[in-house]
Amino acid sequence: MNIIIVGTQFGDEGKGKFIDLLAKKADYIARYQGGANAGHTVVIGKNEFIFHLIPSGILHKRKKCVIGNGLVVDPETLLEEIKNLRKRGIDVKGRLFISENAHVVMPYHKLLDRVKELRRKGKKIGTTGRGIGPCYTDKVARTGIRVADLIDERAFKEKLRKNLDEKNRLLKKIYHQKGFSYKRVLAEYSSYGRKIKKYVTNTSLLINQAIDKGKSILFEGAQGTFLDIDWGTYPYVTSSHPVVGGALTGLGVGPTKIDRVIGVAKAYTTRVGGGPLPTELPKRLGERVREKGREYGATTGRPRRCGWIDLVLLRSAIQINGLDSLILTKLDVLDELKEIKICTHYKYRGKRMDYFPNSLKVLSQCKPQYEVLKGWRESISEIKTYKKLPVNAKKYVERIKKVLGIKIALISVGPQRDQTIILDKSLYGPLAHQVEHRPFKAGVTGSSPVRPTINAAIV
Ligand code: GDP
Ligand code: IMO
Ligand code: MG
């Protein structure tokens, strides 16, 4: 079964946990867009892993992981991630594949990301500083450096020279930065190229041939539908396509090969960075939910803003992505609340609005309309079956299902694999959390936080 997993809100819905779980039944786990802006968390016992570029299925010993052409790859971060995984007993050798068509995040992309943000003053997007926007800008402008160029010494020299000439002028004249030394960047990035070469291949061919042999592919989306460059709250978005279409272009697979498209939705809403959050909670309640849900960015550590569940957002996400079911996460975070609100629609100039507006101006005049439900006020984090959930928790889930008219496949009541209520058994069986792998070593995964200084440019 080939399944696409899409974020339905503003990212951080809990995709990582479910990619790891569903990976048990897959042969390949393939990321299709974004870059190291993503932070996907997998928790296994006392071990926590945060994946930025490497697909969240890598903990399964025998599974193959693919970084698709739709990504922008920061080789420095990637190599650090590989190294940290190795330290914890996870070897990616022979099972990590990187598309030759993916674009390379260069140091000037990261610097530009940060200096552009500073210029935005009161209108900051609140990017992750990982160079995502500037790298995708070069891709679309047809000046970018692809992974295939990085590993080809001659091509890289030529492309780097052209890019650096232009970027240094931009950095010096417009942003008053020092710029980068060609020699130093060439040496550093050529060395990265040599190190990643063994993973680089035609990943579209790889996946399509695997599909032809009956293998199962799990497509891993990053970010979420409302951070999509087209469908998100532009300009407060990322620069790629987290929506379902991104999975096809980002891996070079046709729609006829896809069996299921599943959306991951948090039982409430969060957003990190700038941009509207229509159902945002009042300060104190927001802080309570943030603390209980540990809502701090997995990539940047920034606090996430919290809001009630917004069914207008989810209705649009279901439509845009053609979702056939939802995974509802972090239901346990609402355990202590006396009342829980569900935003069923918006009111705009006295009229009912069921779908998310494209215009931020219209959105700013929309008033979320709520139904108020009673909370369950007991811990649900040890509950394993739907039947055993408190009545009010079931009422909450049923109401969401009914208003949206969609199936809920799985419910998550905690970060661990076994803190999952399985409603759709076709996705995996009751013992799915019992996955075979060696004991992990303690340590950190992922990469270090983005270097904060903007004058880190080297001459
Ligand atoms: P992703 O980017 O969509 O993979 O999500 P993140 O990893 O950025 O954020 C989700 C956070 O919630 C992580 O810290 C997870 O360990 C945690 N998490 C996932 N599911 C649950 C759940 O059902 N309950 C609780 N309390 N935490 C969860
Ligand atoms: P995962 O995959 C939540 C947000 C940033 C910022 C905007 C643009 O973990 O769900 P960018 O660095 O992409 O140019 O930033 O998008 N953002 C995310 N928010 N989860 C993510 O990824 C995000 N990736 C980017 O906070 O508002
Ligand atoms: Mg995340």
Side-chain angles (χ1 to χ4, degrees):
M1 187 153 58
N2 300 322
I3 306 176
I4 301 179
I5 299 290
V6 180
T8 57
Q9 294 154 326
F10 299 102
D12 303 329
E13 296 90 350
K15 299 177 292 293
K17 167 177 167 170
F18 284 93
I19 294 291
D20 168 69
L21 267 179
L22 299 178
K24 190 178 182 190
K25 272 202 169 179
D27 299 294
Y28 287 76
I29 299 90
R31 265 279 301 272
Y32 60 81
Q33 45 68 238
N37 50 350
H40 295 178
T41 314
V42 178
V43 181
I44 298 162
K46 289 200 172 86
N47 291 286
E48 183 176 85
F49 297 85
I50 298 175
F51 299 106
H52 299 291
L53 281 164
I54 294 192
S56 310
I58 199 77
L59 300 178
H60 298 252
K61 252 199 291 196
R62 275 178 271 274
K63 309 290 172 173
K64 297 193 163 77
C65 287
V66 175
I67 293 178
N69 56 282
L71 276 88
V72 288
V73 177
D74 179 342
E76 188 188 5
T77 310
L78 177 66
L79 288 164
E80 205 182 331
E81 223 172 313
I82 294 172
K83 189 175 81 192
N84 289 337
L85 277 171
R86 198 178 302 131
K87 277 193 203 152
R88 296 183 72 178
I90 299 128
D91 200 349
V92 304
K93 219 164 92 199
R95 56 194 196 97
L96 178 68
F97 303 90
I98 306 171
S99 166
E100 48 204 0
N101 285 1
H103 277 248
V104 181
V105 177
M106 299 296 293
Y108 47 80
H109 291 136
K110 291 188 258 189
L111 184 60
L112 277 168
D113 192 359
R114 280 169 259 159
V115 290
K116 277 170 177 277
E117 271 288 90
L118 284 180
R119 285 281 170 98
R120 289 187 188 110
K121 298 217 165 81
K123 294 208 157 149
K124 285 194 184 4
I125 295 171
T127 72
T128 57
R130 297 283 178 143
I132 305 299
C135 187
Y136 277 114
T137 302
D138 280 358
K139 171 177 175 173
V140 176
R142 296 162 293 185
T143 56
I145 297 175
R146 289 170 152 195
V147 168
D149 304 320
L150 182 71
I151 61 171
D152 171 341
E153 215 176 303
R154 269 183 64 184
F156 184 54
K157 273 186 178 162
E158 194 189 312
K159 297 212 168 181
L160 179 65
R161 170 80 70 194
K162 273 198 189 141
N163 272 283
L164 259 193
D165 279 353
E166 192 202 334
K167 292 301 184 311
N168 277 344
R169 256 184 288 149
L170 181 69
L171 282 166
K172 285 176 189 166
K173 296 226 162 85
I174 309 283
Y175 296 106
H176 311 298
Q177 296 293 309
K178 287 188 199 155
F180 291 87
S181 142
Y182 172 73
K183 260 172 92 178
R184 285 166 93 161
V185 177
L186 180 67
E188 186 180 343
Y189 279 71
S190 298
S191 136
Y192 296 151
R194 285 190 292 275
K195 286 182 187 146
I196 67 166
K197 197 170 182 167
K198 56 178 171 291
Y199 306 114
V200 179
T201 189
N202 180 342
T203 48
S204 166
L205 190 63
L206 179 81
I207 292 183
N208 280 296
Q209 285 178 340
I211 293 174
D212 289 345
K213 284 189 201 138
K215 303 282 183 203
S216 291
I217 321 291
L218 183 60
F219 296 70
E220 176 174 3
Q223 289 84 52
T225 300
F226 296 95
L227 289 175
D228 185 276
I229 185 81
D230 279 342
W231 298 107
T233 51
Y234 192 90
Y236 300 97
V237 291
T238 191
S239 299
S240 67
H241 287 297
V243 298
V244 69
L248 308 181
T249 55
L251 282 161
V253 177
T256 51
K257 312 283 173 173
I258 308 302
D259 301 298
R260 303 275 292 269
V261 185
I262 303 175
V264 185
K266 229 176 240 186
Y268 48 101
T269 317
T270 62
R271 176 161 205 170
V272 59
L277 177 59
T279 58
E280 189 157 2
L281 292 169
K283 193 165 178 288
R284 279 192 45 205
L285 189 54
E287 281 166 5
R288 229 176 115 192
V289 173
R290 178 188 300 146
E291 290 315 309
K292 170 92 173 148
R294 294 178 54 210
E295 295 295 354
Y296 293 90
T299 298
T300 58
R302 292 177 294 175
R304 297 171 182 154
R305 290 182 277 154
C306 300
W308 296 118
I309 197 163
D310 185 342
L311 301 189
V312 179
L313 277 181
L314 293 183
R315 200 178 279 118
S316 291
I318 291 167
Q319 190 173 68
I320 291 165
N321 296 299
L323 301 181
D324 33 47
S325 56
L326 283 181
I327 293 173
L328 191 67
T329 65
K330 304 191 88 161
L331 190 61
D332 56 301
V333 174
L334 306 178
D335 277 356
E336 287 154 25
L337 300 181
K338 207 166 148 191
E339 286 184 334
I340 304 170
K341 291 188 185 177
I342 298 181
C343 167
T344 52
H345 60 282
Y346 299 159
K347 270 248 163 86
Y348 172 65
R349 295 186 172 166
K351 280 203 187 127
R352 184 187 168 104
M353 203 153 187
D354 286 308
Y355 290 90
F356 200 68
N358 287 321
S359 150
L360 286 198
K361 199 169 151 198
V362 172
L363 183 63
S364 70
Q365 293 170 47
C366 285
K367 292 213 164 45
Q369 304 298 304
Y370 294 103
E371 282 180 9
V372 183
L373 273 71
K374 279 210 180 93
W376 44 95
R377 310 203 82 185
E378 61 180 284
S379 171
I380 60 168
S381 54
E382 298 304 319
I383 292 178
K384 308 280 181 232
T385 61
Y386 190 67
K387 234 172 47 197
K388 294 214 169 114
L389 277 177
V391 175
N392 286 351
K394 277 191 274 201
K395 277 189 182 159
Y396 184 65
V397 175
E398 291 303 321
R399 191 64 196 140
I400 294 168
K401 259 166 72 175
K402 174 115 195 277
V403 175
L404 293 175
I406 192 163
K407 277 189 296 192
I408 294 187
L410 305 163
I411 297 173
S412 181
V413 294
Q416 301 282 349
R417 283 171 171 168
D418 66 351
Q419 290 180 301
T420 305
I421 295 172
I422 303 163
L423 299 167
D424 180 349
K425 294 205 173 61
S426 72
L427 287 176
Y428 65 82
L431 298 178
H433 56 276
Q434 294 178 357
V435 180
E436 220 196 307
H437 41 58
R438 278 178 239 117
F440 303 119
K441 296 189 189 115
V444 289
T445 21
S447 55
S448 13
V450 179
R451 289 181 214 139
T453 47
I454 59 148
N455 274 316
I458 40 170
V459 179

